[in-house]
Amino acid sequence: MTIRILPAIGDPDAARAVSSLLHQLPDAEPAPTVGDSAALLHALAGAAAQGAGAAAAGAPPAAGQPSAVEALPEVVLVHERIGPTPALELIREVALRFPAVGVVLITTDAGPALFSAAMDAGARGIVGMPLGYDELAARVQAAAQWSAGVRVHLGGSPEAAPGPAGTLVTVTGAKGGVGTTVTAVQLALAARAAGRSVALVDLDLQSGDVASYLDVQFRRSIVDLAGIQDISVRVLQDAVHDHHTGLGLLLAPEEGERGEEVDDRAARQIIGALRSRYEVVLVDCGSQMQSANAAAVELADLALLVTTPDVVAVRAAKRQVRLWDRLQIRKAEDTTTVVNRLTRNTEIQPPLVAKATGTQVARTHVPAAFKELQPCVDAGRMQDLDNRSTVKQALCALAGELGLVDSPSARQGRGSHRARPTLTGRKRKAITPGAAPGSGGVPGQASGSASGAGQGPGPRFGVRRGSAAAAGPGPFDPSGPYEEG
């Protein structure tokens, strides 16, 4: 969304410097500079009058015509040497007459006394001189986000808001070892394969393993952003590792004790900066709740809780949900549970998990097939997991269920044999309908299927695998809500 900026600067040299920087800001639309307070108020009043023309006549604005609020610029820059009205008095008048406009004061004295006086007058920030790109960009972006929020409440269009638009998804484990990081990494890779810009954040601050799973050695971590008050685009770029898969990685510190430096305030600020730059922000929260990952779960658009279908893990998931509810972080009904390592013979099935935890359970379940994962896990290259893997296919389907992937072709991966139902890979005899009685098993592969590789969400990816056709519906019923094709 374009940010409209109106500079009010009386000093010619300062006006040229500000204009030069404003034209470098991304998504900025600076208006011609006005030289005094009267010209500024006249320009704002004229813009509001144009948008309110239809409303004054007793009719709503025509299609495509902005309202009085939407016609105003999002940000006004006021120089301290503006005249004839003093800068602070001008800011106070703009704030009273045009409350949906974010005002930023440009001054050579950015001390606490002036800062307090400017905030009392209604300013949304102060930029010190000599001007710097990072500081000006941060102040303009913050004022624009505040303005967008006010306009929503004043009747403006929510679609026009330039605030954080990225989808925030958190992945939390019921306990350690349930597959939290694998789930987060594969969801991020699936969203990236669908063409979206994706940031993967490791908020398991003491024992995060995202770097190990993606074969990354990077000296920067999320701790480097914790002490920064205003996270600019350039600062964020320095801390985020651009992985060759296209993911932006913000990693946990190598020294686990430094994780304490990231508190809830820092986590909110970092996540907000990431959401303004990436379409999808995936956060691996681990299994231990601290203030940072608790803030992430609270802010999340989608909060996933990963568990395995065993008594210990389900009890841990129940404790986690109750903890979130007691701390008012998130309600159980707003949480989605993902059942990992599910087999047909497991006594605890997804409906029982939903009943025990009180959460929604994702329709897509992840099969137990560690043999498929082991080579990539040992090599630390989870991005090389074969497209034929039932685990990868299930997590791609989960990404589609969550809205992180748009099309079935993107979920399956271009060129994957799963996108062509007539090709069934090595287990053709086991899944061919109407096969001869003696052709249903393949030595050395049927046992692997029973241990997890054949327990994948068969009907969700075409014809069912293994001997499931004769075994009854089970948890992977072909009449389920998702069928490929």
Side-chain angles (χ1 to χ4, degrees), residues 14-36:
R16 284 191 294 269
V18 170
S19 178
S20 175
L21 287 176
L22 290 180
H23 283 87
Q24 299 178 33
L25 298 181
D27 302 325
E29 185 181 291
T33 302
V34 296
D36 56 59

Side-chain angles (χ1 to χ4, degrees), residues 383-454:
Q383 66 271 21
D384 294 339
L385 185 61
D386 195 337
N387 287 337
R388 294 173 295 180
S389 165
T390 56
V391 174
K392 181 171 183 176
Q393 292 173 357
L395 289 171
C396 287
L398 176 62
E401 180 182 335
L402 299 174
L404 305 180
V405 172
D406 295 326
S407 64
S409 60
R411 288 196 296 269
Q412 297 298 338
R414 292 183 178 90
S416 169
H417 75 280
R418 292 298 166 191
R420 299 170 291 177
T422 57
L423 301 180
T424 54
R426 295 175 295 179
K427 298 187 180 180
R428 183 181 183 87
K429 292 182 180 181
I431 66 176
T432 302
S439 62
V442 180
Q445 294 183 6
S447 61
S449 174
S451 66

